[in-house]
């Protein structure tokens, strides 16, 4: 009987932790929010430059106070792809070391700190 009560208590505790964690994550995950003026635009890229078009739109709309974007990771082909959408090479702050989404985030925060940026628009959608 005591073992059963402990098992039920553990299951309830795990369920409670899951529900609380889930609600915190969902309430803080903002999707489809309208972009507002920020210090810089951040583009977490993969192997291609799939987010370049949307990043170029935001930059051309003047939503980056610095007139720059951080691309993580940046490669020579990324830069050429961004140039195709009207972004000049000097507008791209390169982050070259990231190999995963986690590293994109950590390394980009370091770049933001280095440049003194406090706010950012993160491009996470693919639009063409």
């Amino acid at each position: 009987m005591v073992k059963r009560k402990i098992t039920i208590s553990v299951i309830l505790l795990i369920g409670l932790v899951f529900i609380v964690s889930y609600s915190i994550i969902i309430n803080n995950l903002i999707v489809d929010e309208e972009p507002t003026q920020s210090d810089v635009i951040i583009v977490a890229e993969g192997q291609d430059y799939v987010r370049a078009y949307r990043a170029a739109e935001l930059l051309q709309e003047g939503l980056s106070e610095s007139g720059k974007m951080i691309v993580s990771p940046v490669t020579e082909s990324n830069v050429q792809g961004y140039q195709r959408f009207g972004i000049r090479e000097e507008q791209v702050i390169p982050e070259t070391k990231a190999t995963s989404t986690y590293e994109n985030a950590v390394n980009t925060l370091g770049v933001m700190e280095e440049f003194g940026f406090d706010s950012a628009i993160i491009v996470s959608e693919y639009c063409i």
Side-chain angles (χ1 to χ4, degrees), residues 47-119:
Q47 298 208 353
D48 298 317
Y49 53 90
V50 297
R51 298 179 177 121
Y53 179 80
R54 182 65 178 137
E57 282 183 333
L58 294 169
L59 195 63
Q60 290 161 0
E61 289 172 18
L63 292 174
S64 171
E65 289 180 4
S66 65
K68 297 189 180 290
M69 65 176 60
I70 300 169
V71 179
S72 173
V74 72
T75 64
E76 188 59 37
S77 65
N78 287 50
V79 173
Q80 291 172 1
Y82 280 79
Q83 289 171 343
R84 199 175 110 203
F85 295 113
I87 297 172
R88 298 182 316 276
E89 191 170 351
E90 62 270 11
Q91 291 178 295
V92 175
I93 300 171
E95 189 293 301
T96 59
K97 297 178 183 166
T99 60
S100 68
T101 304
Y102 174 78
E103 288 178 1
N104 284 133
V106 171
N107 297 352
T108 300
L109 283 173
V111 173
M112 284 184 67
E113 187 174 301
E114 179 183 330
F115 281 81
F117 297 139
D118 294 318
S119 62

Side-chain angles (χ1 to χ4, degrees), residues 1 15 26 45 50 57:
M1 185 57 99
I26 294 302
E45 283 291 8
V50 297
E57 282 183 333

